[in-house]
Amino acid sequence: MIIARSTAELQAALRPVREEALSGVAFVPTMGSLHEGHISLLRAAQQPGDFTVASVFVNPTQFSPGEDFELYPRDEDRDLELLDQAGLTLAFVPSVADMYPVDFATRVLADPSLTSCLCGASRGPQHFDGVTSVVARLFGLVTPNSAWFGEKDWQQLQVVRSMSADIFPGIEIRSGATVRDQDGLALSSRNARLTPAGRLRASAIPKALLNSQQDNFSPTRTTAEDLLEEATQAFSSAEIELDYLQIRDGQSLQPVSGSITEAPNARMFIAANLDGVRLIDNVPIFSSPNHQPDRAAAATLAGSTR
Ligand code: PAF
């Protein structure tokens, strides 16, 4: 595995790939402290013959003052070992000065219709503007054919998709399913900061989310409000301090209310604070994209496939 510690080293490592144009470049941006969720993205990104690049960079511009930038877990030696073991071709590990030289003044502002809600509302608009700015800078440096993002950060995925469609239409944005621990807790670098008691309580998060998922053809709860009320009660019994718990459309991120069967792409989104650690997660309310809103339609579909 090649390790590039500066933009100059990155360009040198990418030159043969560009000159020979023999393979595509698949890119997995990360903030390090890698876990199985990142590794599963790398595996998915590794198509035969592709040159796979991952970046490890804790991006200061996506943290607001008072957030956990200083405390964000970092373990570069372990990250590089895991990337090497996963068969990565090139690891890009830049410094802050390399990513943001003193004369670097450009910011890429994300679509406010996607960033003014959920984590954007809680963390402030600068969070996603920091994400789009660093991802745009990384895309400009790596010039990948495809880039991979985890579905745990669903809002980030939609924001990056929108930014990339506007500025980098040639880059295919791909996503990987959330990887969960045995008790269902979504893997996150921040989980390492939970106390043992906090880690135990955290299992209420996936439990309530997965409980809100509806059978495609016979939903047991009828409105978004019913689902939210049930999940809110579960979190209150588990003494989990909610930042938000909302149901929104998975693509536009607009709020969903009323009959849930009318919203086949609805997702439940949660952010919670445990032991001062911010955890986020989300699930689709209906698991299949072929969701049919009523039983008659389901019967028709079942009949037609026989
Ligand atoms: O999801 C992350 O780890 C970060 O937000 C990203 C996409 C690497 C940008 O810093």
Side-chain angles (χ1 to χ4, degrees):
M1 181 177 78
I2 308 164
I3 301 172
R5 293 194 175 274
S6 66
T7 52
E9 286 179 18
L10 176 74
Q11 298 317 317
L14 287 170
R15 196 164 301 126
V17 188
R18 291 195 182 118
E19 282 170 2
E20 291 160 31
L22 292 178
S23 58
V25 174
F27 178 44
V28 182
T30 82
M31 294 208 298
S33 191
L34 302 178
H35 51 66
E36 190 49 38
H38 298 108
I39 303 301
S40 74
L41 280 182
L42 278 175
R43 286 203 198 98
Q46 279 165 333
Q47 299 302 317
D50 261 9
F51 193 94
T52 321
V53 182
S55 58
V56 176
F57 178 65
V58 184
N59 171 38
T61 67
Q62 68 190 74
F63 291 79
S64 303
E67 285 193 335
D68 59 350
F69 173 67
E70 302 299 340
L71 294 173
Y72 196 85
R74 293 163 171 87
D75 191 343
E76 189 185 295
D77 290 346
R78 182 177 163 276
D79 288 345
L80 291 175
E81 203 178 308
L82 287 174
L83 291 174
D84 194 24
Q85 280 167 12
L88 188 80
T89 331
L90 168 61
F92 178 42
V93 193
S95 66
V96 174
D98 227 317
M99 287 297 285
Y100 301 115
V102 274
D103 53 354
F104 186 88
T106 302
R107 289 284 174 275
V108 177
L109 304 189
D111 175 354
S113 79
L114 297 173
T115 61
S116 55
C117 58
L118 301 171
C119 287
S122 310
R123 300 184 65 176
Q126 74 282 0
H127 166 60
F128 283 116
D129 292 342
V131 171
T132 43
S133 296
V134 78
V135 171
R137 170 109 172 103
L138 288 165
F139 281 4
L141 292 167
V142 177
T143 58
N145 299 83
S146 63
W148 291 75
F149 296 82
E151 292 179 1
K152 180 179 75 65
D153 298 293
W154 187 269
Q155 185 176 16
Q156 169 173 281
L157 176 62
Q158 304 315 311
V159 169
V160 168
R161 270 192 204 291
S162 149
M163 179 279 288
S164 189
D166 288 345
I167 310 182
F168 302 98
I171 301 178
E172 188 187 3
I173 303 298
R174 305 286 306 269
S175 70
T178 302
V179 178
R180 296 179 180 281
D181 239 331
Q182 273 182 356
D183 64 351
L185 183 67
L187 296 191
S188 162
S189 306
R190 288 189 169 95
N191 293 355
R193 294 187 42 227
L194 291 168
T195 61
R199 175 63 191 81
L200 273 178
R201 277 165 53 229
S203 63
I205 295 176
K207 220 165 152 189
L209 287 190
L210 299 174
N211 185 46
S212 73
Q213 288 195 298
Q214 298 294 291
D215 179 283
N216 291 338
F217 299 129
S218 49
T220 51
R221 273 83 102 223
T222 54
T223 67
E225 290 75 11
D226 290 343
L227 291 168
L228 287 171
E229 194 185 311
E230 197 174 0
T232 305
Q233 274 171 15
F235 290 124
S236 133
S237 328
E239 294 179 18
I240 290 191
E241 184 198 330
L242 287 178
D243 175 5
Y244 60 71
L245 177 71
Q246 297 179 18
I247 298 181
R248 289 180 175 258
D249 179 78
Q251 206 177 343
S252 68
L253 303 184
Q254 290 305 300
V256 164
S257 59
S259 172
I260 199 65
T261 55
E262 301 297 318
N265 296 319
R267 298 184 84 87
M268 186 178 273
F269 295 88
I270 182 181
N273 289 306
L274 269 101
D275 301 335
V277 181
R278 192 163 194 281
L279 301 179
I280 60 170
D281 200 351
N282 72 92
V283 293
I285 299 292
F286 295 100
S287 53
S288 161
N290 297 324
H291 163 65
Q292 295 292 308
D294 59 40
R295 288 168 197 234
T300 312
L301 186 72
S304 69
T305 54
R306 265 181 215 131

